[in-house]
Every structure is written in structure tokens, then in C-alpha cells.
Amino acid sequence: LEVIVSRTNFISSHTEQSIRIIGLSTALANAKDLANWLNIGQMGLFNFRPSVRPVPLECHIAGFPGKHYCPRMATMNKPSFQAIKQHSPSKPSLIFVSSRRQTRVTALDLIAYLAGEENPKQWLHMPDQDIDAICASIKDQNLKLTLAFGIGIHHAGLVERDRKT
């Protein structure tokens, strides 16, 4: 994002053509900082407080040290699993990662942690025959495996039918 915005601003300054950047995001704690960086004035910034959400949102942030991407991502999976168990053991949770590969790796790590639990399918809230019927129509083998444990994955590499299932 930083590269795209910086390059767009650079081109705009050299061509004297004004540009409009429209940014949509989830709740931001630093919306004013981001608006300043994007050269957005007060009149162009709309930041809605969490209190206006129709569904309450809880945000838990944890930092992870490390300069290298893959080892750092790997260190995040167990704390993510523990955070879900602590903060949302019976409700849906979202984990955002930056690549298709990391989507698969994170989901498979979560399944490995679930395997060590008394009930490995504790996140699956439907009868086995129902999830089996759904999985029968899934093409992506990783999605098929993760769904059996109540974990869904989504990335651009999924075929359209799998994304909509």
C-alpha cells in the first residue's frame, strides 16, 4: 500500500494532475495519522467509532519480534490459537495473513493445535454428515480439510465455487 500511494503521489506531483484516493478499512485507531499521510483534509476523513457498529467489535493486539517474514509468521500461530480459545472460544474469529501460502500454513497449524485438544472439532458447530455433504462439493483439498475442523480459508487462488460455499 505504501509503495502504491507513494508512487501515485509522486506521479501526481510531476504531472500536476490531481488524484483522488479512496481508502476503506476496518476500524482504525490512527485514522488521523493515515489521513495526513494520504493528504486528506478534515472534510474528507470519515472515521466511525466502534460504538456505531451494529455488532460489537473487540480488538486484541499482540506484537511479535523478528525481522524475517516466515519465522515471524510461524511464531504467531500458537498465540493466535490461544487468543481464539481465550477471547472467542465459541464465536467466529478472523485471522488475516498476507499470502495464499500463509493462509494454508496458518489454518493447518491451527488444526495441529486442535489435534492436541480433548475435542479437536470444537470449532465445528454442525453435525458431521452436514459438513461431509458440504466438503463433497469442495475442490480445494486444503479447504476441504480445514472445513472439517470448523476452519474456513479464503484467498484469491480458490475457485469461485469454493469461495461461495
Side-chain angles (χ1 to χ4, degrees), residues 22-92:
I22 300 173
L24 303 174
S25 179
T26 58
L28 290 172
N30 63 339
K32 287 184 181 178
D33 293 338
L34 183 61
N36 289 336
W37 179 67
L38 293 172
N39 295 321
I40 298 170
Q42 274 297 91
M43 294 300 292
L45 173 63
F46 301 95
N47 186 28
F48 302 99
R49 301 205 179 285
S51 60
V52 301
R53 293 177 55 85
V55 176
L57 173 69
E58 285 184 35
C59 182
H60 303 276
I61 298 173
F64 297 89
K67 293 180 181 179
H68 303 290
Y69 176 77
C70 289
R72 187 177 65 242
M73 292 303 293
T75 63
M76 292 181 192
N77 292 336
K78 182 146 190 161
S80 295
F81 175 76
Q82 292 168 331
I84 292 169
K85 289 193 54 86
Q86 178 183 354
H87 300 292
S88 189
S90 60
K91 295 181 181 174

Side-chain angles (χ1 to χ4, degrees), residues 56-157:
L57 173 69
E58 285 184 35
C59 182
H60 303 276
I61 298 173
F64 297 89
K67 293 180 181 179
H68 303 290
Y69 176 77
C70 289
R72 187 177 65 242
M73 292 303 293
T75 63
M76 292 181 192
N77 292 336
K78 182 146 190 161
S80 295
F81 175 76
Q82 292 168 331
I84 292 169
K85 289 193 54 86
Q86 178 183 354
H87 300 292
S88 189
S90 60
K91 295 181 181 174
S93 299
L94 288 174
I95 298 175
F96 291 95
V97 296
S98 61
S99 70
R100 295 178 196 182
R101 179 186 174 281
Q102 194 59 49
T103 301
R104 179 178 45 83
V105 168
T106 298
L108 294 176
D109 277 0
L110 292 174
I111 290 172
Y113 297 129
L114 282 169
E117 298 281 310
E118 186 175 317
N119 178 10
K121 293 192 174 188
Q122 61 191 281
W123 294 345
L124 179 64
H125 301 291
M126 62 174 42
D128 284 339
Q129 63 269 20
D130 292 351
I131 195 65
D132 290 344
I134 292 168
C135 288
S137 68
I138 300 293
K139 282 188 141 187
D140 186 277
Q141 293 303 311
N142 290 306
L143 178 59
K144 193 178 285 196
L145 171 63
T146 62
L147 283 177
F149 289 87
I151 299 170
I153 60 174
H154 185 276
H155 57 73

